[in-house]
mmCIF file of all heavy atoms in Angstrom:
data_model
loop_
_atom_site.group_PDB
_atom_site.id
_atom_site.type_symbol
_atom_site.label_atom_id
_atom_site.label_comp_id
_atom_site.label_asym_id
_atom_site.label_seq_id
_atom_site.Cartn_x
_atom_site.Cartn_y
_atom_site.Cartn_z
ATOM 1 N N ALA A 125 -14.080 -29.872 12.342
ATOM 2 C CA ALA A 125 -12.663 -29.817 11.992
ATOM 3 C C ALA A 125 -12.489 -29.225 10.594
ATOM 4 O O ALA A 125 -11.587 -28.407 10.343
ATOM 5 C CB ALA A 125 -12.042 -31.214 12.069
ATOM 6 N N ALA A 126 -13.379 -29.626 9.666
ATOM 7 C CA ALA A 126 -13.321 -29.074 8.304
ATOM 8 C C ALA A 126 -13.604 -27.574 8.322
ATOM 9 O O ALA A 126 -12.951 -26.788 7.620
ATOM 10 C CB ALA A 126 -14.310 -29.812 7.399
ATOM 11 N N SER A 127 -14.595 -27.208 9.149
ATOM 12 C CA SER A 127 -14.913 -25.783 9.268
ATOM 13 C C SER A 127 -13.726 -25.003 9.824
ATOM 14 O O SER A 127 -13.416 -23.896 9.376
ATOM 15 C CB SER A 127 -16.135 -25.582 10.156
ATOM 16 O OG SER A 127 -17.268 -26.189 9.572
ATOM 17 N N ILE A 128 -13.092 -25.645 10.829
ATOM 18 C CA ILE A 128 -11.919 -24.984 11.417
ATOM 19 C C ILE A 128 -10.824 -24.848 10.379
ATOM 20 O O ILE A 128 -10.159 -23.803 10.270
ATOM 21 C CB ILE A 128 -11.443 -25.762 12.649
ATOM 22 C CG1 ILE A 128 -12.474 -25.633 13.783
ATOM 23 C CG2 ILE A 128 -10.072 -25.255 13.118
ATOM 24 C CD1 ILE A 128 -12.177 -26.511 14.977
ATOM 25 N N ARG A 129 -10.619 -25.922 9.594
ATOM 26 C CA ARG A 129 -9.599 -25.853 8.555
ATOM 27 C C ARG A 129 -9.952 -24.783 7.518
ATOM 28 O O ARG A 129 -9.080 -24.013 7.062
ATOM 29 C CB ARG A 129 -9.447 -27.221 7.881
ATOM 30 C CG ARG A 129 -8.692 -28.251 8.733
ATOM 31 C CD ARG A 129 -8.273 -29.445 7.895
ATOM 32 N NE ARG A 129 -9.424 -30.146 7.343
ATOM 33 C CZ ARG A 129 -10.097 -31.128 7.937
ATOM 34 N NH1 ARG A 129 -9.727 -31.509 9.172
ATOM 35 N NH2 ARG A 129 -11.119 -31.715 7.353
ATOM 36 N N ASN A 130 -11.235 -24.741 7.151
ATOM 37 C CA ASN A 130 -11.672 -23.704 6.188
ATOM 38 C C ASN A 130 -11.450 -22.306 6.756
ATOM 39 O O ASN A 130 -11.034 -21.384 6.054
ATOM 40 C CB ASN A 130 -13.136 -23.902 5.832
ATOM 41 C CG ASN A 130 -13.374 -25.161 4.999
ATOM 42 O OD1 ASN A 130 -12.454 -25.632 4.303
ATOM 43 N ND2 ASN A 130 -14.575 -25.731 5.065
ATOM 44 N N LEU A 131 -11.750 -22.193 8.082
ATOM 45 C CA LEU A 131 -11.553 -20.897 8.723
ATOM 46 C C LEU A 131 -10.080 -20.533 8.745
ATOM 47 O O LEU A 131 -9.703 -19.377 8.470
ATOM 48 C CB LEU A 131 -12.110 -20.937 10.143
ATOM 49 C CG LEU A 131 -11.986 -19.639 10.955
ATOM 50 C CD1 LEU A 131 -12.714 -18.497 10.254
ATOM 51 C CD2 LEU A 131 -12.549 -19.853 12.352
ATOM 52 N N GLU A 132 -9.235 -21.525 9.054
ATOM 53 C CA GLU A 132 -7.799 -21.269 9.060
ATOM 54 C C GLU A 132 -7.311 -20.872 7.670
ATOM 55 O O GLU A 132 -6.497 -19.951 7.513
ATOM 56 C CB GLU A 132 -7.047 -22.511 9.561
ATOM 57 C CG GLU A 132 -7.256 -22.779 11.046
ATOM 58 C CD GLU A 132 -6.569 -24.064 11.485
ATOM 59 O OE1 GLU A 132 -6.138 -24.822 10.584
ATOM 60 O OE2 GLU A 132 -6.451 -24.297 12.702
ATOM 61 N N GLU A 133 -7.823 -21.611 6.651
ATOM 62 C CA GLU A 133 -7.425 -21.274 5.285
ATOM 63 C C GLU A 133 -7.902 -19.865 4.907
ATOM 64 O O GLU A 133 -7.172 -19.114 4.248
ATOM 65 C CB GLU A 133 -8.008 -22.308 4.311
ATOM 66 C CG GLU A 133 -7.364 -23.688 4.447
ATOM 67 C CD GLU A 133 -8.025 -24.711 3.540
ATOM 68 O OE1 GLU A 133 -9.021 -24.329 2.877
ATOM 69 O OE2 GLU A 133 -7.552 -25.846 3.475
ATOM 70 N N SER A 134 -9.143 -19.538 5.355
ATOM 71 C CA SER A 134 -9.674 -18.194 5.070
ATOM 72 C C SER A 134 -8.830 -17.129 5.756
ATOM 73 O O SER A 134 -8.548 -16.067 5.185
ATOM 74 C CB SER A 134 -11.128 -18.098 5.537
ATOM 75 O OG SER A 134 -11.955 -19.009 4.826
ATOM 76 N N LEU A 135 -8.429 -17.437 7.029
ATOM 77 C CA LEU A 135 -7.580 -16.499 7.743
ATOM 78 C C LEU A 135 -6.233 -16.325 7.054
ATOM 79 O O LEU A 135 -5.712 -15.189 6.929
ATOM 80 C CB LEU A 135 -7.376 -16.948 9.190
ATOM 81 C CG LEU A 135 -8.606 -16.828 10.096
ATOM 82 C CD1 LEU A 135 -8.309 -17.451 11.453
ATOM 83 C CD2 LEU A 135 -8.996 -15.357 10.272
ATOM 84 N N GLU A 136 -5.653 -17.456 6.595
ATOM 85 C CA GLU A 136 -4.379 -17.371 5.883
ATOM 86 C C GLU A 136 -4.524 -16.553 4.596
ATOM 87 O O GLU A 136 -3.677 -15.717 4.275
ATOM 88 C CB GLU A 136 -3.873 -18.781 5.564
ATOM 89 C CG GLU A 136 -3.425 -19.561 6.790
ATOM 90 C CD GLU A 136 -2.999 -20.970 6.433
ATOM 91 O OE1 GLU A 136 -3.142 -21.332 5.232
ATOM 92 O OE2 GLU A 136 -2.532 -21.702 7.324
ATOM 93 N N LEU A 137 -5.634 -16.813 3.867
ATOM 94 C CA LEU A 137 -5.884 -16.058 2.630
ATOM 95 C C LEU A 137 -6.102 -14.577 2.936
ATOM 96 O O LEU A 137 -5.605 -13.698 2.219
ATOM 97 C CB LEU A 137 -7.106 -16.645 1.913
ATOM 98 C CG LEU A 137 -7.468 -16.000 0.565
ATOM 99 C CD1 LEU A 137 -6.315 -16.155 -0.425
ATOM 100 C CD2 LEU A 137 -8.740 -16.655 -0.015
ATOM 101 N N PHE A 138 -6.819 -14.307 4.054
ATOM 102 C CA PHE A 138 -7.068 -12.930 4.449
ATOM 103 C C PHE A 138 -5.743 -12.231 4.806
ATOM 104 O O PHE A 138 -5.518 -11.074 4.421
ATOM 105 C CB PHE A 138 -8.017 -12.921 5.654
ATOM 106 C CG PHE A 138 -8.301 -11.536 6.176
ATOM 107 C CD1 PHE A 138 -9.141 -10.679 5.485
ATOM 108 C CD2 PHE A 138 -7.706 -11.107 7.361
ATOM 109 C CE1 PHE A 138 -9.388 -9.408 5.980
ATOM 110 C CE2 PHE A 138 -7.958 -9.831 7.847
ATOM 111 C CZ PHE A 138 -8.804 -8.974 7.144
ATOM 112 N N GLU A 139 -4.887 -12.970 5.528
ATOM 113 C CA GLU A 139 -3.586 -12.406 5.873
ATOM 114 C C GLU A 139 -2.771 -12.116 4.625
ATOM 115 O O GLU A 139 -2.094 -11.077 4.525
ATOM 116 C CB GLU A 139 -2.832 -13.363 6.802
ATOM 117 C CG GLU A 139 -3.419 -13.448 8.199
ATOM 118 C CD GLU A 139 -2.663 -14.445 9.066
ATOM 119 O OE1 GLU A 139 -1.770 -15.123 8.514
ATOM 120 O OE2 GLU A 139 -2.960 -14.541 10.270
ATOM 121 N N GLU A 140 -2.832 -13.054 3.673
ATOM 122 C CA GLU A 140 -2.108 -12.841 2.420
ATOM 123 C C GLU A 140 -2.653 -11.614 1.676
ATOM 124 O O GLU A 140 -1.884 -10.788 1.152
ATOM 125 C CB GLU A 140 -2.211 -14.085 1.533
ATOM 126 C CG GLU A 140 -1.442 -15.279 2.076
ATOM 127 C CD GLU A 140 -1.627 -16.509 1.193
ATOM 128 O OE1 GLU A 140 -2.382 -16.395 0.205
ATOM 129 O OE2 GLU A 140 -1.003 -17.536 1.481
ATOM 130 N N ASN A 141 -3.996 -11.520 1.654
ATOM 131 C CA ASN A 141 -4.615 -10.357 0.987
ATOM 132 C C ASN A 141 -4.243 -9.057 1.699
ATOM 133 O O ASN A 141 -3.940 -8.040 1.060
ATOM 134 C CB ASN A 141 -6.131 -10.510 0.947
ATOM 135 C CG ASN A 141 -6.572 -11.608 -0.015
ATOM 136 O OD1 ASN A 141 -5.851 -11.922 -0.978
ATOM 137 N ND2 ASN A 141 -7.739 -12.197 0.223
ATOM 138 N N ILE A 142 -4.272 -9.121 3.061
ATOM 139 C CA ILE A 142 -3.919 -7.931 3.833
ATOM 140 C C ILE A 142 -2.466 -7.535 3.553
ATOM 141 O O ILE A 142 -2.141 -6.362 3.337
ATOM 142 C CB ILE A 142 -4.130 -8.173 5.334
ATOM 143 C CG1 ILE A 142 -5.627 -8.211 5.653
ATOM 144 C CG2 ILE A 142 -3.469 -7.069 6.154
ATOM 145 C CD1 ILE A 142 -6.352 -6.905 5.406
ATOM 146 N N SER A 143 -1.583 -8.501 3.538
ATOM 147 C CA SER A 143 -0.169 -8.229 3.268
ATOM 148 C C SER A 143 0.012 -7.630 1.877
ATOM 149 O O SER A 143 0.760 -6.662 1.677
ATOM 150 C CB SER A 143 0.650 -9.511 3.399
ATOM 151 O OG SER A 143 0.574 -10.022 4.709
ATOM 152 N N SER A 144 -0.700 -8.223 0.907
ATOM 153 C CA SER A 144 -0.631 -7.721 -0.467
ATOM 154 C C SER A 144 -1.160 -6.294 -0.560
ATOM 155 O O SER A 144 -0.555 -5.422 -1.198
ATOM 156 C CB SER A 144 -1.413 -8.636 -1.398
ATOM 157 O OG SER A 144 -1.425 -8.135 -2.721
ATOM 158 N N LYS A 145 -2.281 -6.052 0.139
ATOM 159 C CA LYS A 145 -2.866 -4.707 0.122
ATOM 160 C C LYS A 145 -1.937 -3.697 0.796
ATOM 161 O O LYS A 145 -1.799 -2.550 0.340
ATOM 162 C CB LYS A 145 -4.227 -4.729 0.821
ATOM 163 C CG LYS A 145 -5.308 -5.509 0.086
ATOM 164 C CD LYS A 145 -5.627 -4.874 -1.262
ATOM 165 C CE LYS A 145 -6.748 -5.640 -1.962
ATOM 166 N NZ LYS A 145 -7.037 -5.038 -3.303
ATOM 167 N N LEU A 146 -1.323 -4.158 1.912
ATOM 168 C CA LEU A 146 -0.401 -3.267 2.607
ATOM 169 C C LEU A 146 0.797 -2.917 1.725
ATOM 170 O O LEU A 146 1.257 -1.772 1.695
ATOM 171 C CB LEU A 146 0.078 -3.913 3.916
ATOM 172 C CG LEU A 146 -0.963 -3.987 5.035
ATOM 173 C CD1 LEU A 146 -0.398 -4.754 6.233
ATOM 174 C CD2 LEU A 146 -1.402 -2.582 5.477
ATOM 175 N N ILE A 147 1.297 -3.909 0.995
ATOM 176 C CA ILE A 147 2.417 -3.661 0.081
ATOM 177 C C ILE A 147 2.003 -2.690 -1.024
ATOM 178 O O ILE A 147 2.724 -1.739 -1.361
ATOM 179 C CB ILE A 147 2.920 -4.984 -0.524
ATOM 180 C CG1 ILE A 147 3.561 -5.855 0.576
ATOM 181 C CG2 ILE A 147 3.933 -4.718 -1.633
ATOM 182 C CD1 ILE A 147 3.931 -7.254 0.117
ATOM 183 N N GLU A 148 0.797 -2.948 -1.580
ATOM 184 C CA GLU A 148 0.294 -2.043 -2.623
ATOM 185 C C GLU A 148 0.085 -0.632 -2.081
ATOM 186 O O GLU A 148 0.421 0.355 -2.738
ATOM 187 C CB GLU A 148 -1.017 -2.585 -3.187
ATOM 188 C CG GLU A 148 -0.857 -3.880 -3.983
ATOM 189 C CD GLU A 148 -2.193 -4.411 -4.475
ATOM 190 O OE1 GLU A 148 -3.220 -3.755 -4.169
ATOM 191 O OE2 GLU A 148 -2.216 -5.458 -5.155
ATOM 192 N N LEU A 149 -0.473 -0.546 -0.862
ATOM 193 C CA LEU A 149 -0.710 0.754 -0.245
ATOM 194 C C LEU A 149 0.612 1.469 0.018
ATOM 195 O O LEU A 149 0.741 2.681 -0.229
ATOM 196 C CB LEU A 149 -1.485 0.574 1.062
ATOM 197 C CG LEU A 149 -1.808 1.873 1.831
ATOM 198 C CD1 LEU A 149 -2.660 2.800 0.982
ATOM 199 C CD2 LEU A 149 -2.531 1.533 3.133
ATOM 200 N N ASP A 150 1.596 0.736 0.518
ATOM 201 C CA ASP A 150 2.908 1.324 0.776
ATOM 202 C C ASP A 150 3.531 1.836 -0.514
ATOM 203 O O ASP A 150 4.088 2.937 -0.566
ATOM 204 C CB ASP A 150 3.815 0.274 1.433
ATOM 205 C CG ASP A 150 5.193 0.838 1.746
ATOM 206 O OD1 ASP A 150 5.281 1.716 2.619
ATOM 207 O OD2 ASP A 150 6.167 0.408 1.107
ATOM 208 N N SER A 151 3.430 1.037 -1.592
ATOM 209 C CA SER A 151 3.965 1.461 -2.882
ATOM 210 C C SER A 151 3.242 2.693 -3.404
ATOM 211 O O SER A 151 3.867 3.631 -3.911
ATOM 212 C CB SER A 151 3.850 0.307 -3.883
ATOM 213 O OG SER A 151 4.286 0.710 -5.163
ATOM 214 N N ALA A 152 1.892 2.673 -3.258
ATOM 215 C CA ALA A 152 1.104 3.816 -3.726
ATOM 216 C C ALA A 152 1.449 5.079 -2.938
ATOM 217 O O ALA A 152 1.576 6.180 -3.498
ATOM 218 C CB ALA A 152 -0.387 3.513 -3.612
ATOM 219 N N LEU A 153 1.603 4.935 -1.601
ATOM 220 C CA LEU A 153 1.955 6.090 -0.770
ATOM 221 C C LEU A 153 3.330 6.629 -1.141
ATOM 222 O O LEU A 153 3.532 7.852 -1.195
ATOM 223 C CB LEU A 153 1.917 5.691 0.710
ATOM 224 C CG LEU A 153 0.517 5.489 1.321
ATOM 225 C CD1 LEU A 153 0.634 4.975 2.739
ATOM 226 C CD2 LEU A 153 -0.284 6.796 1.285
ATOM 227 N N LYS A 154 4.283 5.722 -1.396
ATOM 228 C CA LYS A 154 5.611 6.167 -1.804
ATOM 229 C C LYS A 154 5.547 6.945 -3.116
ATOM 230 O O LYS A 154 6.195 7.989 -3.268
ATOM 231 C CB LYS A 154 6.555 4.968 -1.938
ATOM 232 C CG LYS A 154 6.967 4.360 -0.609
ATOM 233 C CD LYS A 154 7.908 3.184 -0.822
ATOM 234 C CE LYS A 154 8.341 2.581 0.511
ATOM 235 N NZ LYS A 154 9.240 1.413 0.309
ATOM 236 N N LYS A 155 4.742 6.416 -4.075
ATOM 237 C CA LYS A 155 4.595 7.129 -5.354
ATOM 238 C C LYS A 155 3.953 8.492 -5.155
ATOM 239 O O LYS A 155 4.376 9.493 -5.754
ATOM 240 C CB LYS A 155 3.759 6.293 -6.311
ATOM 241 C CG LYS A 155 4.455 5.052 -6.817
ATOM 242 C CD LYS A 155 3.573 4.282 -7.791
ATOM 243 C CE LYS A 155 4.278 3.044 -8.318
ATOM 244 N NZ LYS A 155 3.434 2.268 -9.261
ATOM 245 N N GLN A 156 2.906 8.532 -4.287
ATOM 246 C CA GLN A 156 2.229 9.806 -4.040
ATOM 247 C C GLN A 156 3.160 10.809 -3.366
ATOM 248 O O GLN A 156 3.181 11.996 -3.733
ATOM 249 C CB GLN A 156 0.983 9.577 -3.191
ATOM 250 C CG GLN A 156 -0.144 8.868 -3.933
ATOM 251 C CD GLN A 156 -1.373 8.668 -3.073
ATOM 252 O OE1 GLN A 156 -1.370 9.005 -1.893
ATOM 253 N NE2 GLN A 156 -2.408 8.089 -3.659
ATOM 254 N N PHE A 157 3.917 10.329 -2.354
ATOM 255 C CA PHE A 157 4.858 11.232 -1.688
ATOM 256 C C PHE A 157 5.945 11.699 -2.654
ATOM 257 O O PHE A 157 6.366 12.862 -2.619
ATOM 258 C CB PHE A 157 5.498 10.544 -0.479
ATOM 259 C CG PHE A 157 4.622 10.547 0.747
ATOM 260 C CD1 PHE A 157 4.193 9.359 1.329
ATOM 261 C CD2 PHE A 157 4.212 11.747 1.314
ATOM 262 C CE1 PHE A 157 3.388 9.367 2.451
ATOM 263 C CE2 PHE A 157 3.413 11.761 2.444
ATOM 264 C CZ PHE A 157 2.980 10.566 3.012
ATOM 265 N N LYS A 158 6.392 10.775 -3.509
ATOM 266 C CA LYS A 158 7.397 11.155 -4.497
ATOM 267 C C LYS A 158 6.850 12.196 -5.460
ATOM 268 O O LYS A 158 7.521 13.179 -5.790
ATOM 269 C CB LYS A 158 7.857 9.908 -5.257
ATOM 270 C CG LYS A 158 9.000 10.173 -6.221
ATOM 271 C CD LYS A 158 9.465 8.885 -6.877
ATOM 272 C CE LYS A 158 10.623 9.152 -7.831
ATOM 273 N NZ LYS A 158 11.086 7.894 -8.486
ATOM 274 N N GLU A 159 5.615 12.002 -5.918
ATOM 275 C CA GLU A 159 4.976 12.957 -6.819
ATOM 276 C C GLU A 159 4.735 14.288 -6.115
ATOM 277 O O GLU A 159 4.943 15.361 -6.698
ATOM 278 C CB GLU A 159 3.649 12.381 -7.322
ATOM 279 C CG GLU A 159 2.870 13.307 -8.252
ATOM 280 C CD GLU A 159 3.582 13.571 -9.555
ATOM 281 O OE1 GLU A 159 4.501 12.798 -9.898
ATOM 282 O OE2 GLU A 159 3.219 14.559 -10.225
ATOM 283 N N LEU A 160 4.301 14.199 -4.841
ATOM 284 C CA LEU A 160 4.087 15.422 -4.066
ATOM 285 C C LEU A 160 5.391 16.187 -3.896
ATOM 286 O O LEU A 160 5.424 17.417 -4.024
ATOM 287 C CB LEU A 160 3.501 15.068 -2.695
ATOM 288 C CG LEU A 160 3.214 16.261 -1.756
ATOM 289 C CD1 LEU A 160 2.211 17.204 -2.382
ATOM 290 C CD2 LEU A 160 2.706 15.762 -0.414
ATOM 291 N N ASP A 161 6.483 15.465 -3.636
ATOM 292 C CA ASP A 161 7.782 16.118 -3.492
ATOM 293 C C ASP A 161 8.201 16.754 -4.808
ATOM 294 O O ASP A 161 8.736 17.874 -4.829
ATOM 295 C CB ASP A 161 8.820 15.078 -3.052
ATOM 296 C CG ASP A 161 10.180 15.698 -2.799
ATOM 297 O OD1 ASP A 161 10.289 16.536 -1.905
ATOM 298 O OD2 ASP A 161 11.129 15.338 -3.520
ATOM 299 N N ARG A 162 7.937 16.044 -5.932
ATOM 300 C CA ARG A 162 8.280 16.609 -7.240
ATOM 301 C C ARG A 162 7.472 17.869 -7.515
ATOM 302 O O ARG A 162 8.000 18.879 -7.997
ATOM 303 C CB ARG A 162 8.027 15.583 -8.338
ATOM 304 C CG ARG A 162 8.475 16.032 -9.715
ATOM 305 C CD ARG A 162 7.957 15.086 -10.788
ATOM 306 N NE ARG A 162 6.508 15.163 -10.901
ATOM 307 C CZ ARG A 162 5.864 16.139 -11.546
ATOM 308 N NH1 ARG A 162 6.538 17.106 -12.128
ATOM 309 N NH2 ARG A 162 4.555 16.141 -11.597
ATOM 310 N N VAL A 163 6.158 17.826 -7.185
ATOM 311 C CA VAL A 163 5.299 18.990 -7.396
ATOM 312 C C VAL A 163 5.750 20.164 -6.529
ATOM 313 O O VAL A 163 5.793 21.315 -6.975
ATOM 314 C CB VAL A 163 3.830 18.630 -7.112
ATOM 315 C CG1 VAL A 163 2.960 19.879 -7.116
ATOM 316 C CG2 VAL A 163 3.321 17.639 -8.152
ATOM 317 N N GLN A 164 6.099 19.845 -5.265
ATOM 318 C CA GLN A 164 6.574 20.909 -4.376
ATOM 319 C C GLN A 164 7.862 21.525 -4.894
ATOM 320 O O GLN A 164 8.024 22.752 -4.884
ATOM 321 C CB GLN A 164 6.780 20.357 -2.968
ATOM 322 C CG GLN A 164 5.477 20.063 -2.213
ATOM 323 C CD GLN A 164 5.728 19.492 -0.838
ATOM 324 O OE1 GLN A 164 6.808 18.970 -0.567
ATOM 325 N NE2 GLN A 164 4.741 19.582 0.033
ATOM 326 N N GLN A 165 8.781 20.658 -5.357
ATOM 327 C CA GLN A 165 10.021 21.184 -5.911
ATOM 328 C C GLN A 165 9.751 22.035 -7.143
ATOM 329 O O GLN A 165 10.369 23.084 -7.351
ATOM 330 C CB GLN A 165 10.976 20.040 -6.254
ATOM 331 C CG GLN A 165 11.540 19.329 -5.031
ATOM 332 C CD GLN A 165 12.473 18.192 -5.424
ATOM 333 O OE1 GLN A 165 12.604 17.857 -6.597
ATOM 334 N NE2 GLN A 165 13.119 17.588 -4.435
ATOM 335 N N SER A 166 8.794 21.561 -7.972
ATOM 336 C CA SER A 166 8.426 22.335 -9.167
ATOM 337 C C SER A 166 7.822 23.674 -8.773
ATOM 338 O O SER A 166 8.138 24.712 -9.361
ATOM 339 C CB SER A 166 7.447 21.535 -10.018
ATOM 340 O OG SER A 166 7.008 22.285 -11.130
ATOM 341 N N ASN A 167 6.934 23.639 -7.753
ATOM 342 C CA ASN A 167 6.310 24.893 -7.292
ATOM 343 C C ASN A 167 7.356 25.839 -6.717
ATOM 344 O O ASN A 167 7.309 27.051 -6.955
ATOM 345 C CB ASN A 167 5.239 24.598 -6.245
ATOM 346 C CG ASN A 167 4.022 23.915 -6.841
ATOM 347 O OD1 ASN A 167 3.767 24.017 -8.050
ATOM 348 N ND2 ASN A 167 3.265 23.212 -6.020
ATOM 349 N N VAL A 168 8.299 25.267 -5.946
ATOM 350 C CA VAL A 168 9.359 26.100 -5.378
ATOM 351 C C VAL A 168 10.205 26.703 -6.499
ATOM 352 O O VAL A 168 10.563 27.888 -6.465
ATOM 353 C CB VAL A 168 10.240 25.277 -4.416
ATOM 354 C CG1 VAL A 168 11.495 26.063 -4.025
ATOM 355 C CG2 VAL A 168 9.458 24.913 -3.167
ATOM 356 N N SER A 169 10.507 25.867 -7.513
ATOM 357 C CA SER A 169 11.292 26.361 -8.640
ATOM 358 C C SER A 169 10.545 27.455 -9.389
ATOM 359 O O SER A 169 11.121 28.483 -9.757
ATOM 360 C CB SER A 169 11.630 25.204 -9.585
ATOM 361 O OG SER A 169 12.328 25.667 -10.716
ATOM 362 N N GLN A 170 9.233 27.227 -9.618
ATOM 363 C CA GLN A 170 8.425 28.236 -10.304
ATOM 364 C C GLN A 170 8.331 29.512 -9.475
ATOM 365 O O GLN A 170 8.408 30.622 -10.006
ATOM 366 C CB GLN A 170 7.033 27.689 -10.593
ATOM 367 C CG GLN A 170 7.006 26.578 -11.633
ATOM 368 C CD GLN A 170 5.618 26.021 -11.852
ATOM 369 O OE1 GLN A 170 4.663 26.457 -11.214
ATOM 370 N NE2 GLN A 170 5.496 25.060 -12.747
ATOM 371 N N LEU A 171 8.139 29.339 -8.150
ATOM 372 C CA LEU A 171 8.066 30.509 -7.272
ATOM 373 C C LEU A 171 9.376 31.274 -7.278
ATOM 374 O O LEU A 171 9.394 32.509 -7.333
ATOM 375 C CB LEU A 171 7.730 30.051 -5.848
ATOM 376 C CG LEU A 171 7.565 31.176 -4.801
ATOM 377 C CD1 LEU A 171 6.429 32.104 -5.201
ATOM 378 C CD2 LEU A 171 7.306 30.579 -3.427
ATOM 379 N N LYS A 172 10.496 30.537 -7.239
ATOM 380 C CA LYS A 172 11.801 31.176 -7.275
ATOM 381 C C LYS A 172 11.996 31.907 -8.594
ATOM 382 O O LYS A 172 12.478 33.048 -8.621
ATOM 383 C CB LYS A 172 12.900 30.126 -7.077
ATOM 384 C CG LYS A 172 14.297 30.709 -7.057
ATOM 385 C CD LYS A 172 15.333 29.615 -6.836
ATOM 386 C CE LYS A 172 16.740 30.207 -6.845
ATOM 387 N NZ LYS A 172 17.774 29.149 -6.655
#
């Protein structure tokens, strides 16, 4: 029962870590896409 509880706690912690990582990844991707869009706009402006 203790092992099961530890496993459940580990699963909950893993889910929390996964959720946190997903949030961080989503934020990082948004920043990268935003930067990529800025670079593309800059390149388009320079090309123009």
Side-chain angles (χ1 to χ4, degrees):
S127 297
I128 291 173
R129 285 194 298 272
N130 291 335
L131 180 59
E132 290 176 349
E133 291 176 356
S134 297
L135 289 174
E136 290 177 356
L137 182 61
F138 178 74
E139 289 178 354
E140 291 177 358
N141 290 334
I142 288 296
S143 298
S144 177
K145 292 296 182 181
L146 288 175
I147 293 173
E148 292 178 359
L149 180 60
D150 181 67
S151 177
L153 287 175
K154 288 180 179 179
K155 290 181 179 179
Q156 289 181 357
F157 280 119
K158 185 177 181 180
E159 179 65 18
L160 180 60
D161 183 63
R162 185 191 67 79
V163 171
Q164 287 179 340
Q165 290 179 353
S166 176
N167 290 338
V168 169
S169 177
Q170 292 178 359
L171 182 61
K172 182 179 179 181

